Amino acid sequence: MFLTKKEEQMCNGEFGETIRKSMDILVALGDIYGASKLVDITSAQVSGVSYKTIGEAGLEYLEDLAGDGLGVASVNASLNPPGTDLDNWKELGFPEEFSIKQNKIVDAYGKLGISKTCTCTPYLVGNVPRFADHVSWSESSAVAYVNSVIGARTNREGGPAALAAAIVGKTPLYGFHLDQNRNADLVVNVNCELNGADFGALGYIIGKVVGSGVPYFKLKNTPDNNDLKTLGAALASSGSVALYHMENVTPEHKQVDVEEVEDIMFISEKEILKTREELSTTDREPDLICLGCPHASLEEIKKVANVVQGKTIKNKLWICTSVSVKATADRMGYTEIIERAGGNVVCDTCMVVAPIEDMGFEVIGVNSAKAANYVPSMCGLDVVYNDVENLIQFE
Ligand code: F3S
């Protein structure tokens, strides 16, 4: 891979150890994937944050990397969800030792100049690239959103690679950064209107079929941004989709010559309903309903507030989101409505990366196909998959 003189100096440690280690990662990645050079990025989003997934070794690595104080993020960079609500873990019942370690991890990232806004929907809260920007993002649902809905360009980076890119301000030029890899591999015709959790079911079906390919969707009705984030998360979890096109919606759909795509699929209402049923692992009633996968938008919190207003919720309810979205939900009075009904707006974390398996829950109600896919494997708990209105039970 071609390196400029300055990049070579970075590799030689002339700008400090943190930058040298970061360049090591980027150069190795570029060599593996045959990148011609490094390209400047405008944004990074870094995964590998939860103490549940990176543990003690991850904490030590980050504290060591932050040690020289020279290498800090040189572009707008934010973090993925950690395993606890960083501020309100005690009130919400998160384990103490876990939460203290978790805060140390986030502090280490902070020393590296990564914003402590912890969310998998950074595009809702200030980490918003422009069309065609090169970026380095690692949360898979956010990768699908930023490539597909915004039209910026990233590969599905690992956490260390996105961190290295944030520090250096560059990423290897290959894969989804290049025009020729952004065409569609499969056209998906959906024969019925989709609502709510149908979008997750569709993403779950197509992710399995297309793997790491690029699907092009033709729908009967127009999805909104919340539907698109749900769809992308499902595509990225049952498959490893980084980019999809939605006809008449996403910015690059017109650049796809649909006639040239050989693989075509038709999806019926029956298949959507069958998949919705298959995403549940039990008929038992959820003891925790956990919404906000990917992290909830203000509109989604408002919708829940409308559903629970003036009522008392039977099961426990968490809506996971970023501190920034919650601050607005507080101002709008949505948080108060939800808390009066017995629910909580939980910041930073989510049902997959939090240690919910150690918090006394057995069955988790979700409206996200990604969460339905991961909660059984990552937490060992059962899930019920449905729309918000059907999940929440009242006294
Ligand atoms: Fe986000 Fe957690 Fe879902 S990181 S996409 S809320 S599994």
Side-chain angles (χ1 to χ4, degrees), residues 85 88 91-92 296-311 313 317-347:
D85 183 316
N88 297 314
E91 297 83 334
L92 291 163
S297 65
L298 190 64
E299 302 86 65
E300 289 173 308
I301 296 175
K302 179 184 176 184
K303 185 179 170 188
V304 176
N306 286 338
V307 170
V308 305
Q309 185 153 31
K311 299 179 181 162
I313 306 165
L317 169 69
W318 289 359
I319 306 160
C320 299
T321 192
S322 63
V323 280
S324 315
V325 169
K326 179 171 181 287
T328 313
D330 292 351
R331 279 194 175 176
M332 293 299 292
Y334 305 150
T335 308
E336 196 184 336
I337 292 170
I338 291 163
E339 285 179 354
R340 275 208 190 139
N344 292 104
V345 179
V346 176
C347 289

Side-chain angles (χ1 to χ4, degrees), residues 42-46 73-79 113-117 127 162 166:
T42 60
S43 156
Q45 193 268 348
V46 180
S74 57
V75 296
N76 188 359
S78 56
L79 281 179
I114 314 291
S115 159
K116 293 185 192 177
T117 306
N127 190 351

Side-chain angles (χ1 to χ4, degrees), residues 186-192 194 197-213 215 217 230-241 265-279 368-370 373 385:
L186 169 72
V187 173
V188 182
N189 294 280
V190 180
N191 294 336
C192 57
L194 300 177
D198 295 341
F199 284 95
L202 174 65
Y204 186 77
I205 299 169
I206 300 304
K208 279 191 167 179
V209 173
V210 81
S212 59
F217 290 98
T230 304
L231 173 71
L235 286 165
S237 65
S238 69
S240 50
V241 170
M265 261 185 90
F266 293 87
I267 297 290
S268 65
E269 188 173 14
K270 202 169 148 203
E271 283 167 277
I272 296 286
L273 292 174
K274 186 167 158 264
T275 303
R276 284 181 63 129
E277 277 172 22
E278 284 170 1
L279 281 163
S368 154
K370 176 175 176 178
N373 194 11
Y385 181 70

